[in-house]
Amino acid sequence: MIGRLNHVAIAVPDLAAASAQYRDTLGAKVNPPQDEPDHGVTVVFIELPNTKIELLYPLGDNSPIAGFLEKNPAGGIHHICYEVDDILAARDKLQAAGARVLGSGEPRIGAHGKPVLFLHPKDFTGTLVELEQV
Ligand code: CO
């Protein structure tokens, strides 16, 4: 059911420093920061040949990243995103298997303008999983 790894999202305490590290030390193609007020994050997209990395930094008062950075002050992997062809079919299948979908259970429009859902990390070996319909 799941397809390509769309991205790995890493929460970082210093967006400029992390961007510079990926650009200058790792030699990756790093895009400018992009504010996503609906998601409470500022995102830097890093393009790799086979996937993307997204650096996440809190934006606004109720950012979902703020608590994560409190527990992980040096930053860390926040979630991984898999592509699916049909997000509603994927959701229904996963829910039927007992997996919990976060929030209302309805897809939201994610940072790439496509429908996304998040799955409870306790149901997926301790990893927050995002599904994105492509
Ligand atoms: Co994501």
Side-chain angles (χ1 to χ4, degrees), residues 9-24:
I10 303 175
V12 299
D14 183 335
L15 201 50
S19 299
Q21 182 178 57
Y22 269 85
R23 185 181 53 242
D24 302 332

Side-chain angles (χ1 to χ4, degrees), residues 13-103:
D14 183 335
L15 201 50
S19 299
Q21 182 178 57
Y22 269 85
R23 185 181 53 242
D24 302 332
T25 309
L26 294 172
K29 178 163 192 262
V30 176
N31 289 286
Q34 197 173 305
D35 287 344
E36 303 278 351
D38 290 351
H39 298 276
V41 290
T42 301
V43 185
V44 168
F45 295 104
I46 299 169
E47 297 172 47
L48 303 183
N50 61 344
T51 190
K52 294 186 287 275
I53 304 294
E54 294 183 8
L55 304 179
L56 302 179
Y57 184 79
L59 176 68
D61 292 333
N62 290 314
S63 173
I65 303 302
F68 182 89
L69 282 173
E70 267 169 42
K71 287 183 216 135
N72 305 275
I77 294 178
H78 183 264
H79 66 267
I80 57 177
C81 177
Y82 299 123
E83 297 180 353
V84 293
D85 291 331
D86 182 336
I87 200 163
L88 293 176
R91 175 198 64 188
D92 293 347
K93 183 175 179 187
L94 290 163
Q95 283 181 325
R100 287 166 285 179
V101 175
L102 299 187

Side-chain angles (χ1 to χ4, degrees), residues 6 83-86 114-115 132-134:
N6 185 275
E83 297 180 353
V84 293
D85 291 331
D86 182 336
K114 296 182 176 150
E132 180 173 299
Q133 181 171 292
V134 293

